[in-house]
């Protein structure tokens, strides 16, 4: 609308705009520009509320999954704890009570694939199942720390056994997740 071309030495514009057209263009600008700004702000708040809704859904779902996993793992925790107590009562010595406790635990929890009670010197006190643990860095060995290793098919647990702060051995458990 400013005669910039004339001041730069250019010729007359190809087309003159009428006042009516200029007013229509200005009114359209005054309507569309604010509406675009409002749409931008509204879409931004919609995206933020969508993110918040997704986050709330994931939080709710994760708590339900956590409760389900805790409910599923509770009998295994109780069985491992009971077997650990029986092993400590027998001073990690081979006994019929210890072996029968292992057999009862496996009969009660059929997903247990492997159980091994190992002494501090590395000797196997009692076991159930074939040793399917291949010796590599990722797999468990009897140690003084509680460890879990998960793979697609198995959950392996190393439960150390202590009496009066003395390490006596460990209980290794392999649960079949399939």
């Amino acid at each position: 609308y400013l005669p910039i071309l004339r001041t730069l030495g250019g010729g007359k514009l190809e087309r003159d705009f009428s006042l009516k057209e200029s007013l229509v263009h200005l009114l359209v600008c005054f309507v569309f520009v604010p509406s675009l700004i409002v749409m931008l702000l509204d879409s931004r708040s919609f995206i933020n509320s969508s993110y918040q809704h997704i986050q709330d859904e994931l939080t709710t779902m994760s708590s339900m999954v956590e409760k389900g996993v805790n409910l599923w793992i509770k009998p295994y925790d109780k069985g491992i704890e009971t077997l650990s107590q029986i092993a400590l009562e027998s001073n990690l010595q081979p006994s019929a009570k210890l072996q029968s406790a292992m057999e009862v635990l496996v009969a009660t929890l059929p997903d247990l694939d492997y159980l091994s009670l190992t002494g501090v010197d590395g000797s196997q006190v009692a076991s159930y199942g074939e040793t399917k643990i291949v010796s590599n860095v990722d797999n468990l060995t009897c140690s003084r720390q509680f460890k879990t290793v998960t793979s697609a098919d198995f959950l392996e647990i190393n439960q150390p056994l202590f009496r009066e702060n003395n390490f006596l051995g460990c209980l290794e458990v392999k649960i079949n997740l399939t």
Side-chain angles (χ1 to χ4, degrees):
Y1 295 104
L2 298 175
I4 295 175
L5 290 177
R6 286 186 203 151
T7 56
L8 294 176
K12 190 176 176 186
L13 291 174
E14 295 288 326
R15 180 171 176 243
D16 287 331
F17 292 103
S18 68
L19 182 60
K20 183 178 175 182
E21 285 180 1
S22 297
L23 288 176
V24 167
H25 288 252
L26 286 173
L27 288 175
V28 166
C29 272
F30 283 127
V31 170
F32 281 136
V33 170
S35 66
L36 286 175
I37 292 171
V38 168
M39 284 175 35
L40 176 74
L41 294 175
D42 186 51
S43 66
R44 189 174 175 100
S45 68
F46 176 74
I47 288 173
N48 288 338
S49 68
S50 295
Y51 282 144
Q52 186 63 41
H53 177 71
I54 290 169
Q55 189 175 15
D56 293 343
E57 285 289 322
L58 288 175
T59 302
T60 303
M61 192 180 303
S62 68
S63 67
M64 290 189 311
V65 168
E66 181 183 14
K67 287 177 185 176
V69 168
N70 287 339
L71 187 64
W72 174 79
I73 201 76
K74 192 174 185 178
Y76 293 94
D77 282 344
K78 183 68 175 164
I80 290 170
E81 184 63 33
T82 303
L83 191 59
S84 297
Q85 291 301 322
I86 293 171
L88 288 173
E89 288 171 6
S90 69
N91 289 324
L92 269 72
Q93 299 299 319
S95 68
K97 181 180 179 182
L98 187 58
Q99 193 65 37
S100 68
M102 277 190 165
E103 291 170 5
V104 167
L105 184 61
V106 170
T108 307
L109 304 169
D111 294 336
L112 290 175
D113 198 41
Y114 174 73
L115 289 171
S116 174
L117 185 60
T118 308
V120 70
D121 59 352
S123 63
Q124 198 172 40
V125 176
S127 68
Y128 172 83
E130 294 180 28
T131 305
K132 296 180 182 176
I133 301 175
V134 180
S135 177
N136 67 26
V137 178
D138 293 335
N139 290 323
L140 298 172
T141 57
C142 186
S143 71
R144 296 172 187 259
Q145 296 178 356
F146 179 81
K147 293 182 189 175
T148 59
V149 175
T150 356
S151 67
D153 298 330
F154 294 100
L155 171 65
E156 299 175 33
I157 301 171
N158 180 66
Q159 173 71 45
L161 303 173
F162 290 95
R163 178 179 286 139
E164 298 172 1
N165 292 331
N166 292 325
F167 179 67
L168 299 178
C170 66
L171 176 64
E172 293 175 278
V173 180
K174 188 173 183 181
I175 302 171
N176 189 344
L177 298 177
T178 57

